[in-house]
Amino acid sequence: MGLFDFFKKKETAPEAQEALDKGLEKTKDGFFNKITKAVAGKSSVDDEVLDNLEEVLVTSDVGVSTTLKIIKRIEERVAKDKYLNTSELNFILRDEIQLLLSENNSNDFRQFEYGDHKPYVIMVVGVNGVGKTTTIGKLAHKLKESGLKVVLGAADTFRAAAVDQIKLWGERVGVRVVAQAMGSDPASVAFDTLQSAVANGEDVVIIDTAGRLHNKIGLMNELGKIKQVMQKVVPGAPHEILLVLDASTGQNAFEQCKQFTEATDVNALAITKLDGTAKGGVVIGISDQFRIPVKYIGVGEKIGDLQLFDKKEFVNSLFK
């Protein structure tokens, strides 16, 4: 059984759906207000409507490249069926966004399993302030609630606050934390965490890392060293490199994704703070442009408000 199955056993669909709908309210309101204005007074989908729709998508932080793909698809449908009217536009737009996301990530999280790795090692990266520590804490809570033994490694030794925050989350959710003094070698913390996880028979290791981008070479070297050291204890580790991005930063999230994917082999994304922003379109754009699965989304401040990302449910909620 994969970790995904544990998540689904515990998380009832109505509760998760309600939290998702609520978390996307600001994005949904902004998005539909703009679309309503874009089609005002129009009875059919013409060039002007498409131009206005393009502007709506770009200003909703979907991103230029992804927006152009969506508009091209809608143009093709309009050319095929000359009688499309503006009342059908929402349905067409929803379909095309769902199709685009499905094509980009064939390994949707519904089929994703962590396999036979024990311990399964997750290295978490991202700049300070994006909700990295909170995501780690909430993920640890979900996994522990599911019956898995989890340990956290406080390898962001650059900031004293980061180590303290991880310790607080460990106490809050009842999972073990491995930490050293501030300024310690991050790779040493990661090494100790994995060694103790193996000795204690723990299922999942989550390693926090320093969130600074001012020197990409330094970041690459540090993350590379952490990976090398972990592989001495658990061959193939880390199994997942999870990049945490803050949806409310809009286009800046695209730039952070670009920087981190150049610095290390990111293979999973968590997009946080969707409930506090109207910029939820970044989920669509980043998923499309970087072809990295969005695995988790943060839709609220409660401990249970970290969700598995489901493309279909996300887009349906956006268009409700």
Side-chain angles (χ1 to χ4, degrees), residues 9 70 163 178 186-187 236 267 295-296 308:
K9 278 203 305 184
I70 294 167
V163 176
V178 175
N267 60 2
K295 289 195 174 173
Y296 309 104
L308 297 174

Side-chain angles (χ1 to χ4, degrees), residues 91-130:
F91 297 105
I92 299 164
L93 186 57
R94 181 187 64 190
D95 288 350
E96 292 303 340
I97 290 173
Q98 279 184 349
L99 280 168
L100 189 70
L101 292 181
S102 298
E103 289 160 17
N104 290 337
N105 281 326
S106 55
N107 59 333
D108 197 349
F109 201 42
R110 279 197 173 282
Q111 284 79 45
F112 185 83
E113 291 202 359
Y114 284 67
D116 301 321
H117 302 295
K118 184 173 177 177
Y120 184 82
V121 182
I122 304 170
M123 183 167 83
V124 184
V125 300
V127 300
N128 299 328
V130 295

Side-chain angles (χ1 to χ4, degrees), residues 185-188 220-230:
D185 180 9
S188 170
M220 289 171 79
N221 291 342
E222 185 173 288
L223 295 178
K225 184 181 174 187
I226 293 171
K227 283 169 66 176
Q228 284 174 356
V229 164
M230 288 198 288

